[in-house]
Short mmCIF file of all heavy atoms in Angstrom, two decimals:
data_model
loop_
_atom_site.label_atom_id
_atom_site.label_comp_id
_atom_site.label_asym_id
_atom_site.label_seq_id
_atom_site.Cartn_x
_atom_site.Cartn_y
_atom_site.Cartn_z
N VAL B 47 45.29 -28.70 -6.16
CA VAL B 47 45.06 -30.16 -6.09
C VAL B 47 43.59 -30.49 -6.42
O VAL B 47 43.23 -31.64 -6.52
CB VAL B 47 45.47 -30.72 -4.68
CG1 VAL B 47 46.92 -30.48 -4.49
CG2 VAL B 47 44.66 -30.08 -3.60
N SER B 78 51.31 -23.11 -0.88
CA SER B 78 51.34 -23.33 -2.31
C SER B 78 50.06 -24.07 -2.83
O SER B 78 49.63 -23.84 -3.94
CB SER B 78 52.55 -24.15 -2.74
OG SER B 78 53.69 -23.45 -2.36
N SER B 112 36.23 -12.18 -5.51
CA SER B 112 36.11 -12.74 -4.17
C SER B 112 34.65 -12.61 -3.68
O SER B 112 33.99 -11.57 -3.89
CB SER B 112 37.04 -11.95 -3.24
OG SER B 112 36.70 -12.20 -1.94
N GLN B 183 1.84 -6.37 -7.94
CA GLN B 183 0.51 -6.43 -7.24
C GLN B 183 0.75 -6.25 -5.75
O GLN B 183 1.43 -7.02 -5.11
CB GLN B 183 -0.09 -7.87 -7.45
CG GLN B 183 -0.27 -8.28 -8.89
CD GLN B 183 -1.62 -7.80 -9.43
OE1 GLN B 183 -2.60 -7.94 -8.77
NE2 GLN B 183 -1.61 -7.22 -10.60
N ALA B 186 3.08 -5.93 -0.83
CA ALA B 186 4.37 -6.65 -0.91
C ALA B 186 4.48 -7.64 0.22
O ALA B 186 4.07 -7.38 1.33
CB ALA B 186 5.51 -5.63 -0.81
N PHE B 238 15.41 -13.66 -0.32
CA PHE B 238 16.45 -13.15 -1.12
C PHE B 238 17.41 -12.34 -0.25
O PHE B 238 16.99 -11.58 0.58
CB PHE B 238 15.97 -12.27 -2.26
CG PHE B 238 17.06 -11.65 -3.08
CD1 PHE B 238 17.72 -12.40 -4.05
CD2 PHE B 238 17.39 -10.35 -2.88
CE1 PHE B 238 18.74 -11.82 -4.76
CE2 PHE B 238 18.42 -9.76 -3.56
CZ PHE B 238 19.11 -10.53 -4.55
N PHE B 251 21.70 -13.81 -3.34
CA PHE B 251 21.31 -15.23 -3.23
C PHE B 251 19.78 -15.37 -3.03
O PHE B 251 19.22 -14.74 -2.12
CB PHE B 251 22.07 -15.84 -2.01
CG PHE B 251 23.51 -15.90 -2.30
CD1 PHE B 251 24.31 -14.83 -1.86
CD2 PHE B 251 24.08 -16.95 -2.96
CE1 PHE B 251 25.69 -14.84 -2.09
CE2 PHE B 251 25.47 -16.97 -3.20
CZ PHE B 251 26.24 -15.90 -2.78
N LEU B 252 19.22 -16.19 -3.78
CA LEU B 252 17.77 -16.47 -3.72
C LEU B 252 17.52 -17.85 -3.14
O LEU B 252 18.20 -18.80 -3.54
CB LEU B 252 17.15 -16.37 -5.13
CG LEU B 252 15.65 -16.57 -5.14
CD1 LEU B 252 14.96 -15.22 -5.28
CD2 LEU B 252 15.20 -17.52 -6.21
N GLY B 257 14.33 -24.77 -0.02
CA GLY B 257 15.67 -24.56 0.54
C GLY B 257 16.77 -24.63 -0.51
O GLY B 257 17.97 -24.57 -0.10
N ASN B 280 17.61 -26.13 5.39
CA ASN B 280 16.45 -25.87 6.26
C ASN B 280 16.56 -24.41 6.68
O ASN B 280 17.37 -24.06 7.47
CB ASN B 280 16.46 -26.78 7.44
CG ASN B 280 15.25 -26.54 8.37
OD1 ASN B 280 14.63 -25.53 8.27
ND2 ASN B 280 14.94 -27.51 9.21
N PRO B 354 8.45 -19.04 24.16
CA PRO B 354 8.80 -20.33 24.78
C PRO B 354 9.03 -21.42 23.70
O PRO B 354 8.22 -21.56 22.83
CB PRO B 354 7.58 -20.67 25.63
CG PRO B 354 6.72 -19.54 25.68
CD PRO B 354 7.09 -18.63 24.50
#
Side-chain angles (χ1 to χ4, degrees):
Chain B
V47 297
S78 300
S112 165
Q183 301 275 313
F238 175 79
F251 295 92
L252 181 103
N280 180 342

